[in-house]
């Protein structure tokens, strides 16, 4: 049984930092595209960042230079370092895993495995 469990969400002021973590079980994250997605209140879910088996990364334009996705395959843990956060970063952040379309050059398509989410609130 695959489980993805996010942690690290919090309330933070604009300009602050947060580090989200996702612990995976039942799946080898080294064999999957791993991604962070978010959903703001009243909006649809959007991809934020992905990382492939080879370590290649992808970010949406609005977080480039501020967020960093990383992983520790040995610990089956995915991270999202969020710096200089903005109110528009507010939302529920989800960890996801997929390999239907390969394990590198990971896009923001609909992933197969999902966590329950962790809340990030950024105040101005």
């Amino acid at each position: 049984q695959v489980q993805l469990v996010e942690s690290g969400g919090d309330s933070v002021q604009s300009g602050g930092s947060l580090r989200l973590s996702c612990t995976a079980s039942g799946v080898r994250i080294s064999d999957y595209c791993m991604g962070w997605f978010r959903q703001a209140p009243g909006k649809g879910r959007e991809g934020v960042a992905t990382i492939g088996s080879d370590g290649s990364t992808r970010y949406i334009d609005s977080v480039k230079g501020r967020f960093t996705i990383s992983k520790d395959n040995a610990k089956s843990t995915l991270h999202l370092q969020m710096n200089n956060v903005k109110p528009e970063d507010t939302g529920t952040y989800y960890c996801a895993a997929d390999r239907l379309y390969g394990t590198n050059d990971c896009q923001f398509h609909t992933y197969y495995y999902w966590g329950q989410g962790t809340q990030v609130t950024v105040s101005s």
Side-chain angles (χ1 to χ4, degrees):
Q1 182 181 0
V2 176
Q3 279 193 317
L4 302 175
V5 180
E6 303 93 338
S7 62
D10 204 348
S11 296
V12 62
Q13 287 196 326
S14 183
S17 296
L18 278 176
R19 181 175 171 86
L20 305 184
S21 297
C22 170
T23 301
S25 59
V27 62
R28 286 174 45 168
I29 66 171
S30 58
D31 294 340
Y32 283 76
C33 277
M34 300 298 298
W36 286 100
F37 294 72
R38 67 187 179 189
Q39 186 165 17
K43 295 187 178 181
R45 188 158 53 190
E46 67 172 349
V48 176
T50 66
I51 187 166
S53 294
D54 62 355
S56 59
T57 58
R58 181 182 300 272
Y59 299 91
I60 55 170
D61 287 345
S62 61
V63 307
K64 285 180 180 177
R66 300 188 297 121
F67 290 10
T68 302
I69 188 171
S70 63
K71 62 178 180 174
D72 184 331
N73 291 331
K75 296 182 178 179
S76 292
T77 305
L78 180 73
H79 299 288
L80 184 69
Q81 179 65 44
M82 306 168 62
N83 296 330
N84 189 25
V85 295
K86 303 176 181 180
E88 52 263 42
D89 295 321
T90 293
T92 303
Y93 282 69
Y94 299 91
C95 168
D98 189 74
R99 60 181 179 182
L100 180 62
Y101 299 106
T103 59
N104 293 312
D105 189 27
C106 304
Q107 307 293 320
F108 295 123
H109 57 273
T110 300
Y111 279 39
Y112 191 77
Y113 297 111
W114 293 87
Q116 293 301 305
T118 186
Q119 179 66 36
V120 172
T121 303
V122 183
S123 58
S124 56

